[in-house]
């Protein structure tokens, strides 16, 4: 089916208590793997393309790849712009046919974040396209490199000083309420303890803060940096990671209203792992497809298991029947 917007998908997820997976892709193999996994799970899915991915692949190529994958699929597929940091980038994606946008003004003073977010939201709304904004700052693990001991292997919680710095960047519920009212954004990326770019899933979330943000804002809330977040309480026990009373896992966060979950690093790591393993098994290989295919399959298996964890498995049919997603397709991009 043609690409759909994220608006109805997220509202339905919010109503019914599950989350939609939003997976970053940089090339054809990743897009195919994500959409095939969603198809096999009968799940709606968001394929997200960052500014870096656009710089790498070119906007026309990457848009066309996702559009084709969506058209061949029988589940709803969204083409989302991830972490756009300016007005122009968002408008270029709007014009190019993206069906969901994000403005990340988290490095800007609050007033400027509000001002640019509302301008983009207004332009996008005129075209029927929803906008995700960001409040608080979801940092990158690279920001803390000098605070990580050389022996740190991501099998235990991040060092206390890093935890404190991450916590200091979290979104304030009262500010979030005002931010949503002023920007008219459709969804909000909230800093609740996650960190971008982690290679293992060990970081707990501040569930108390998530609940406060959910109750104040009312819009679907988005988690970034999910590659590094603890998935379940069983995982926490297995890794001997002790959770404070206010902390929880991805599973807990979904129960408390998280609607969109962004996974990027894990997708890249799957591709790297699959290629590396295939090359080690057959170092004389000449056919690049024999390396790329195991990478693609590794992404597919991971996306399928994440979709099941997020609770969106089997939700494709229900979503398209009850919300008229086919009608909400952005026809003027056809
Ligand atoms: P990770 O790369 O840490 O999974 O973060 C993905 C993300 O937040 C994309 O916006
Ligand atoms: O949150 C960021 C995404 O993982 C995209 O990262 O800018 O390296 O493409 P990137
Ligand atoms: Zn992100």
């Amino acid at each position: 089916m043609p690409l759909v917007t994220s608006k109805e998908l997220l509202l339905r997820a919010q109503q019914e208590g599950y989350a939609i997976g939003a997976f970053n892709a940089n090339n054809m193999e990743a897009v195919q793997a994500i959409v095939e996994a969603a198809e096999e799970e009968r799940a709606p899915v968001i394929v997200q393309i960052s500014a870096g991915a656009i710089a790498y692949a070119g906007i026309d190529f990457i848009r066309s790849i996702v559009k084709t994958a969506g058209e061949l699929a029988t589940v709803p597929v969204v083409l989302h712009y991830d972490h756009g940091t300016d007005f122009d980038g968002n408008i270029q994606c709007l014009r190019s046919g993206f069906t969901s946008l994000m403005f990340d003004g988290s490095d800007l003073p609050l007033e400027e974040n509000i001002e640019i977010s509302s301008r983009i939201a207004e332009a996008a709304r005129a075209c029927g396209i929803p906008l995700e904004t960001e409040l608080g700052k979801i940092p990158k693990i690279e920001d803390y490199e000098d605070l990580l001991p050389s022996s740190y292997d991501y099998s235990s919680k991040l060092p206390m000083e890093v935890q404190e710095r991450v916590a200091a960047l979290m979104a304030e519920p009262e500010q979030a309420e005002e931010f949503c009212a002023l920007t008219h954004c459709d969804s909000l990326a909230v800093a609740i303890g996650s960190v971008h770019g982690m290679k293992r899933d060990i970081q707990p979330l501040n569930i108390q803060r998530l609940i406060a943000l959910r109750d104040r804002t009312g819009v679907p809330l988005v988690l970034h940096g999910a590659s590094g977040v603890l998935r379940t309480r069983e995982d926490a026990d297995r890794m001997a990671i002790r959770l404070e009373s206010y902390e929880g896992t991805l599973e807990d966060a979904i129960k408390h209203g998280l609607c969109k979950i962004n996974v990027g690093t894990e997708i890249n790591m799957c591709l790297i792992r699959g290629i590396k393993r295939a090359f080690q098994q057959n170092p004389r290989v000449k056919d690049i497809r024999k390396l790329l295919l195991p990478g693609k399959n590794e992404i597919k298996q991971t996306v399928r298991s994440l979709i099941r964890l997020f609770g969106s498995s089997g939700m494709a049919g229900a979503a398209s029947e009850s919300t008229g997603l086919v009608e909400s397709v952005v026809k003027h991009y056809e």
Side-chain angles (χ1 to χ4, degrees), residues 13-46:
Q14 185 183 38
Q15 268 167 26
E16 299 194 0
Y18 59 88
I20 312 276
F23 303 98
N24 286 80
N26 291 292
N27 61 7
M28 182 188 74
E29 287 75 11
V31 173
Q32 287 176 331
I34 294 162
V35 175
E36 285 171 24
E39 186 78 21
E40 285 170 23
E41 289 297 326
R42 304 303 308 151
V45 75
I46 299 173

Side-chain angles (χ1 to χ4, degrees), residues 24 48 82-83 196-197 224-227 262-265:
N24 286 80
Q48 49 187 22
D82 185 37
H83 287 288
H196 281 113
H224 283 244
S227 297
N262 288 12
V263 183
T265 304

Side-chain angles (χ1 to χ4, degrees), residues 9 18 20-21 38 42-46 75-77 307 312-316 319 325:
L9 294 186
Y18 59 88
I20 312 276
R42 304 303 308 151
V45 75
I46 299 173
V75 295
V77 177
I307 284 174
S312 55
S313 195
M315 297 301 173
L325 281 171

Side-chain angles (χ1 to χ4, degrees), residues 22-24 48 50 80 82-83 102 132 134 138-139 194-199 222-229 260-268:
F23 303 98
N24 286 80
Q48 49 187 22
S50 68
H80 176 78
D82 185 37
H83 287 288
M102 178 191 183
E132 173 185 327
E134 178 166 331
I138 302 134
S194 60
V195 178
H196 281 113
M198 304 232 317
K199 286 188 183 172
V222 179
L223 179 77
H224 283 244
S227 297
V229 173
K260 172 175 179 268
I261 301 184
N262 288 12
V263 183
T265 304
E266 180 59 16
I267 302 297
N268 286 329

